[in-house]
Amino acid sequence: MDEWIENVVELDSNIESYPNPGTKVFQYGTSGIRYNSEHLDHVLHRMGMLVALRSIHLKSAAVGLMITASHNPQDDNGIKLIDPLGEMLESSWEVYATQLANAPNNQDVCAMLINIASENNIDKNYIPRVYIGRDTRNSGKRLLDAVLSGVKAFKSNIEDFGIITTPMLHFFVRCYNTNGLYGQPNEHSYYTKLTNSFKTLRKMCLDLKNYSPVIEFDGANGVGALKMKDAIIHLEETLVINMHNDDIMNTEKLNYKCGADFVKSNQCPPTGMAIQPHSKYVSVDGDADRIVYSFVDENNKFYLLDGDRIATLVAGYIKDLFIASGLDVNVGLVQTAYSNGNSTKYVTDKLKVPVACVPTGVKYLHHKANDYDVGIYFEANGHGTILFKDAIRELIRNQYGIEEDEVKSLALKKLICVMDMTNETVGDAYSDMLIVESVLCERGWSISDWYKTYSDLPNRLQKVTVKYVYFQDRNTFETGDAERMCIKPLGLQEKIDSIVSKYSMGRSFVRPSGTEDLVRIYAEADTQINADKLAVEVATAVYNIADGVGEKPE
């Protein structure tokens, strides 16, 4: 084993061409690794070797490597590794990724690769298969070269899909590893599978009522805009999509004052487009795995329909379809502590759908959603999807084939459309948009009708830069109860509880960033003024107790 690894790396990979400067420390987390692109060459090279080794370990299953920094500024870049069913990288291999990214020199890299192979009893006779994609960032091509150098060290079969969305690569990986049962690993199959089911369901919607098929699409000047232009051809005018923020040639504009993260974080419309009252605005992020809706009223007041709103819309619709179908199925919703308190109350009290809360991060939501027959998960930031258990998927299709009752048969047919419209591998802005538009059309709702289903509690996001969060001292910050309680530093949670008690309907929690020396604060209360005050008070407590850096929060 040792001799095989050493020979392959020595002969085919020039590790010394990608030295680790030793100036940064990297952590592979739920978003992979992200940083300023100038510091990532050696990281991407080593991840290329790791993803090839992962494929060998999985007996030549296709695994994915996506070069992207999602909603980050254009100077950043990063990497996400994708396992065979389109899911996030297995947690134990996240540890390997972190160790390799930070290995000081090529000897250490070789030693780590040998250790990984030994720990996992990897059989050298399998040939790795690696699927690669990237977003529109200028640094993508340079980093791709680093990845390819690493992947080729293991004589891999490589499929470079070029510039695609992150959800597309997840889709392609799953298609290959399911022998085409999920679809074919190409863009045409992706578009036709999702879009044809949308068009089929649209034909069943006979009364539009208040629904409008017109969308003002904010593409964040990224790959989502590029691929939406291709999708429009497949949609065949079932939706009228007016493109905005689609200047992918000027990468300085990527995510700049536009896109899902900007709209969600700043709670304001995207720039780069004229805002008209009651028009339906759809914003995606830089790699098109997040989506949020928004609109303004006649008084120019802004309304956000984020992941919480999408989750409640979808959960209510799917539950209604199962009731109409006559099938007894366990439908559940998974949220994080960032979900608005009133959204949770609406789902549990009004929709009667069970809700679970997990730590922030797609892998936690995805894993928990698998506990239900049909699991729906959305982070408040707009990243989410629907998961159907294989047995439920088969039950729906089989029952549709024999059902004689017209009402039940129609409900089953609609469920099949929703299943085929869903990219179950990961949050997918295009898939989620089609599902939202289908539900709105079925309900006959305008975007303002959708917003009226419940009222969000006013909330505020805040962050504090502190001396140490994660890398230097792993015990500086520790959370529990799905990140709703701060265990360390000692005394901070008691202070937060004391502050929250002063505000009507107050709630606040803090959590450390997984990639930076930042602490993120979420606060909600009965009014926006109180939510803002609560956020600042909690941020000040963090600053004082946890060695804040720079000016105190205001």
Side-chain angles (χ1 to χ4, degrees):
M1 177 64 67
D2 292 5
E3 182 180 355
W4 170 66
I5 292 284
E6 288 172 343
N7 286 342
V8 170
V9 174
E10 181 180 353
L11 292 173
D12 298 303
S13 179
N14 187 359
I15 297 177
E16 293 183 354
S17 297
Y18 294 96
N20 180 0
T23 56
K24 307 295 178 184
V25 181
F26 301 93
Q27 174 74 27
Y28 193 102
T30 55
S31 299
I33 292 176
R34 294 182 195 169
Y35 208 77
N36 184 285
S37 62
E38 295 302 316
H39 300 278
L40 292 178
D41 293 72
H42 76 284
V43 175
L44 274 287
H45 178 255
R46 295 170 184 193
M47 294 305 101
M49 291 186 286
L50 181 66
V51 77
L53 200 56
R54 177 74 174 154
S55 178
I56 299 172
H57 171 57
L58 297 171
K59 301 180 180 180
S60 297
V63 291
L65 186 154
M66 185 70 193
I67 304 170
T68 182
S70 188
H71 57 277
N72 282 34
Q74 65 91 21
D75 287 339
D76 289 350
N77 215 321
I79 189 167
K80 297 177 181 178
L81 303 184
I82 302 168
D83 264 357
L85 292 182
E87 70 272 48
M88 301 295 179
L89 180 67
E90 182 183 305
S91 296
S92 61
W93 283 66
E94 290 184 6
V95 177
Y96 295 147
T98 298
Q99 291 171 344
L100 274 176
N102 296 297
N105 53 56
N106 61 316
Q107 289 85 5
D108 292 313
V109 171
C110 289
M112 287 179 184
L113 293 171
I114 292 169
N115 183 60
I116 294 168
S118 177
E119 285 185 0
N120 295 277
N121 296 315
I122 295 177
D123 186 344
K124 69 175 183 179
N125 292 314
Y126 289 99
I127 299 175
R129 181 175 296 274
V130 179
Y131 280 11
I132 302 173
R134 57 190 169 96
D135 67 21
T136 57
R137 296 166 199 270
N138 284 338
S139 57
K141 182 60 175 66
R142 187 190 84 246
L143 295 177
L144 172 64
D145 292 339
V147 167
L148 291 174
S149 177
V151 173
K152 289 176 181 177
F154 292 92
K155 306 278 198 268
S156 306
N157 289 322
I158 301 170
E159 185 79 37
D160 178 11
F161 291 94
I163 296 176
I164 56 174
T165 70
T166 294
M168 281 182 169
L169 189 62
H170 284 260
F171 180 92
F172 298 160
V173 169
R174 182 162 180 165
C175 286
Y176 177 84
N177 291 309
T178 55
N179 297 315
L181 291 177
Y182 195 70
Q184 297 301 316
N186 57 64
E187 290 192 36
H188 178 76
S189 176
Y190 170 84
Y191 287 124
T192 54
K193 180 183 180 184
L194 302 184
T195 308
N196 287 350
S197 54
F198 170 77
K199 291 188 291 186
T200 299
L201 186 53
R202 176 53 57 89
K203 290 177 183 177
M204 290 184 264
C205 186
L206 303 178
D207 186 1
L208 300 184
K209 297 179 184 176
N210 294 333
Y211 174 73
S212 169
V214 180
I215 290 172
E216 307 299 327
F217 186 79
D218 165 23
N221 297 305
V223 67
L226 177 68
K227 296 306 176 182
M228 181 55 72
K229 292 177 181 179
D230 295 333
I232 288 173
I233 299 171
H234 293 268
L235 286 166
E236 296 178 342
E237 299 182 354
T238 50
L239 292 174
V240 179
I241 300 178
N242 299 317
M243 298 294 300
H244 308 277
N245 293 322
D246 57 348
D247 186 3
I248 65 169
M249 301 304 295
N250 186 351
T251 59
E252 295 289 332
K253 294 183 178 181
L254 178 64
N255 295 318
Y256 182 69
K257 293 187 176 181
C258 61
D261 186 66
F262 173 82
V263 174
K264 169 64 177 173
S265 298
N266 295 277
Q267 300 195 27
C268 68
T271 60
M273 51 205 300
I275 305 299
Q276 300 295 328
H278 296 289
S279 290
K280 183 165 49 181
Y281 296 95
V282 175
S283 297
V284 303
D285 66 335
D287 66 343
D289 62 359
R290 295 184 183 186
I291 182 172
V292 297
Y293 279 67
S294 63
F295 72 99
V296 299
D297 64 16
E298 58 277 0
N299 297 316
N300 208 35
K301 182 179 178 181
F302 174 76
Y303 298 85
L304 174 68
L305 297 103
D306 58 9
D308 290 340
R309 293 280 181 174
I310 296 172
T312 58
L313 180 76
V314 172
Y317 179 66
I318 288 179
K319 182 174 182 184
D320 285 350
L321 287 182
F322 275 114
I323 292 173
S325 74
L327 298 180
D328 184 14
V329 172
N330 180 22
V331 178
L333 178 65
V334 186
Q335 297 182 324
T336 72
Y338 282 108
S339 293
N340 193 276
N342 274 0
S343 75
T344 307
K345 184 176 172 134
Y346 174 76
V347 174
T348 54
D349 295 351
K350 178 73 174 178
L351 302 182
K352 306 298 183 184
V353 172
V355 177
C357 185
V358 298
T360 303
V362 176
K363 65 180 180 182
Y364 301 112
L365 290 110
H366 198 94
H367 177 75
K368 185 62 179 179
N370 277 314
D371 288 349
Y372 300 99
D373 292 336
V374 179
I376 302 158
Y377 74 83
F378 275 87
E379 292 184 289
N381 62 28
H383 188 289
T385 189
I386 311 166
L387 303 183
F388 296 84
K389 283 189 175 176
D390 291 341
I392 298 303
R393 195 180 295 110
E394 184 176 355
L395 173 65
I396 293 169
R397 295 189 190 277
N398 289 342
Q399 189 65 29
Y400 174 66
I402 62 174
E403 184 60 64
E404 296 181 357
D405 182 280
E406 289 187 9
V407 173
K408 292 181 178 179
S409 179
L410 181 62
L412 290 165
K413 185 176 181 180
K414 290 179 179 180
L415 281 168
I416 291 171
C417 288
V418 173
M419 288 192 300
D420 291 341
M421 204 186 308
T422 303
N423 184 353
E424 296 186 55
T425 63
V426 72
D428 182 335
Y430 180 60
S431 168
D432 293 339
M433 184 189 78
L434 296 181
I435 294 169
V436 168
E437 293 301 316
S438 295
V439 180
L440 292 178
C441 185
E442 287 279 297
R443 301 292 200 204
W445 286 353
S446 67
I447 190 169
S448 57
D449 292 332
W450 174 17
Y451 189 85
K452 291 173 185 175
T453 52
Y454 68 88
S455 298
D456 279 322
L457 283 172
N459 57 88
R460 178 62 60 198
L461 294 169
Q462 189 104 1
K463 59 185 179 181
V464 176
T465 302
V466 296
K467 189 174 181 181
Y468 301 122
V469 167
Y470 198 78
F471 302 133
Q472 293 89 340
D473 182 354
R474 292 176 182 271
N475 295 317
T476 299
F477 267 86
E478 183 180 342
T479 62
D481 189 22
E483 298 182 323
R484 291 175 289 192
M485 176 178 293
C486 184
I487 299 172
K488 293 182 180 179
L490 296 176
L492 179 55
Q493 185 60 50
E494 288 78 4
K495 183 64 176 176
I496 293 172
D497 292 341
S498 175
I499 296 170
V500 168
S501 68
K502 299 186 298 183
Y503 293 90
S504 176
M505 304 182 74
R507 181 171 73 94
S508 183
F509 67 92
V510 302
R511 58 178 291 269
S513 167
T515 57
E516 303 172 86
D517 287 327
L518 292 174
V519 176
R520 305 187 188 280
I521 294 101
Y522 176 84
E524 62 185 28
D526 58 337
T527 68
Q528 190 61 58
I529 290 175
N530 282 341
D532 293 343
K533 288 181 178 179
L534 176 56
V536 171
E537 279 202 63
V538 173
T540 301
V542 172
Y543 183 95
N544 291 337
I545 293 176
D547 293 326
V549 174
E551 295 183 1
K552 282 193 174 185
E554 294 182 357

